[in-house]
Amino acid sequence: MFHLVQSIYHKINEKPEYSVLILGIENSGKTTFLEQLKKKSGMNYKDFNKIMPTMGQNVANIPIQNGRLTQQTESDFNRQANKTDMVLRVWDLSGQTRLRRLWAKYFDKCHAIIYIMDSSFDDIEKENFDRRMESCVDVFKKDVLEILNAHDKNIPILILANKQDKADVLDIVDLKMAFNKALAKMDHDFDSRILPISATTGEGIDTCINWLVMRLIKNSEYRPPIYK
């Protein structure tokens, strides 16, 4: 009887866990975005000014309550754990050219993708920015969309225009046109959205997480979470 009660107790206290990949070319702000999620959740996080390029992967479990970041303080993190109703296991993967081929190895078990780009062009000549933008969209198309499309993996995709705190940034309308053109060429109608954020200041983070959580739940029949 004791073991039965114990089993039921653990089952009730298990929470759905969704794996989310953070992808993008190098220096787009992927690691800063993950550290901002940790900061907002009251977890220990790295100083944004001391973040080094990711050579492999960074992973964090981000607690979600009522569809939003818990925004709890570090002192009550453990006390609030039981109130969490969902966990996002977030993987920040290296965007360096030679390591992008490893992204696809994570696609089988992930529930959503966050693709981050640097939308600022402070102190960058227009020609160089256009080249960076073209490269960013091309990587998104070839290393993300085409692989997902070919293997029938229709999962939510959130595209984030990062560094919106800078003085000069790409117009979000132009950004949508560039990425929607790539999305339109796929067989699948991917559930996607493009949103502006600043990973450094936290601007737009809550909105994008709220959208992501809703889409994960909506897509859970096709790609169910694991329970832990």
Side-chain angles (χ1 to χ4, degrees):
M1 183 65 177
F2 171 76
H3 293 294
L4 177 59
V5 172
Q6 188 178 47
S7 176
I8 293 174
Y9 173 81
H10 287 303
K11 191 67 176 178
I12 292 174
N13 284 275
E14 287 182 343
K15 297 176 177 63
E17 178 180 288
Y18 294 87
S19 291
V20 179
L21 305 183
I22 304 178
L23 308 177
I25 64 176
E26 55 267 43
N27 300 316
S28 57
K30 299 184 300 297
T31 303
T32 304
F33 176 80
L34 176 59
E35 294 305 313
Q36 182 66 252
L37 293 183
K38 291 162 66 175
K39 178 182 179 181
K40 281 178 168 288
S41 300
M43 304 165 66
N44 291 326
Y45 64 95
K46 298 176 183 176
D47 185 329
F48 296 159
N49 295 317
K50 297 180 180 180
I51 291 176
M52 302 296 290
T54 300
M55 297 304 295
Q57 63 187 28
N58 298 307
V59 187
N61 288 341
I62 305 299
I64 300 294
Q65 185 177 336
N66 298 324
R68 301 180 181 278
L69 294 169
T70 57
Q71 297 182 320
Q72 57 205 13
T73 62
E74 188 172 350
S75 62
D76 67 4
F77 181 78
N78 291 326
R79 181 168 54 83
Q80 293 285 349
N82 288 332
K83 295 184 179 180
T84 299
D85 52 35
M86 178 191 298
V87 174
L88 302 183
R89 186 163 178 77
V90 184
W91 302 74
D92 160 34
L93 304 183
S94 175
Q96 296 185 32
T97 303
R98 63 188 179 86
L99 297 176
R100 289 178 203 148
R101 60 185 177 81
L102 300 176
W103 289 358
K105 296 181 181 294
Y106 294 82
F107 288 175
D108 276 342
K109 295 183 179 180
C110 82
H111 296 87
I113 287 174
I114 297 176
Y115 190 83
I116 299 183
M117 71 158 293
D118 179 352
S119 62
S120 71
F121 50 94
D122 283 0
D123 303 323
I124 299 179
E125 294 181 3
K126 185 64 165 60
E127 181 180 346
N128 291 334
F129 179 79
D130 289 344
R131 191 179 301 116
R132 188 181 73 189
M133 175 67 185
E134 183 179 347
S135 174
C136 184
V137 175
D138 190 56
V139 168
F140 173 71
K141 178 183 176 183
K142 294 181 178 178
D143 294 334
V144 180
L145 277 186
E146 290 183 355
I147 296 174
L148 291 174
N149 189 70
H151 293 85
D152 196 29
K153 300 185 186 304
N154 197 345
I155 58 177
I157 300 174
L158 179 58
I159 302 166
L160 300 181
N162 191 23
K163 305 188 181 180
Q164 290 286 307
D165 54 303
K166 302 293 185 180
D168 297 309
V169 293
L170 183 70
D171 190 289
I172 196 70
V173 174
D174 294 332
L175 185 62
K176 287 181 178 179
M177 289 178 63
F179 279 95
N180 285 339
K181 185 177 181 180
L183 285 159
K185 294 180 179 179
M186 299 298 114
D187 296 330
H188 293 294
D189 184 16
F190 287 96
D191 188 0
S192 63
R193 189 170 184 185
I194 302 173
L195 293 172
I197 66 158
S198 168
T200 301
T201 68
E203 175 190 357
I205 299 289
D206 294 303
T207 298
C208 77
I209 292 299
N210 184 240
W211 181 90
L212 184 67
V213 168
M214 289 191 297
R215 290 315 191 269
L216 287 169
I217 295 172
K218 179 182 177 181
N219 199 50
S220 61
E221 184 175 349
Y222 168 74
R223 186 64 71 89
I226 61 173
Y227 284 82
K228 289 188 175 181

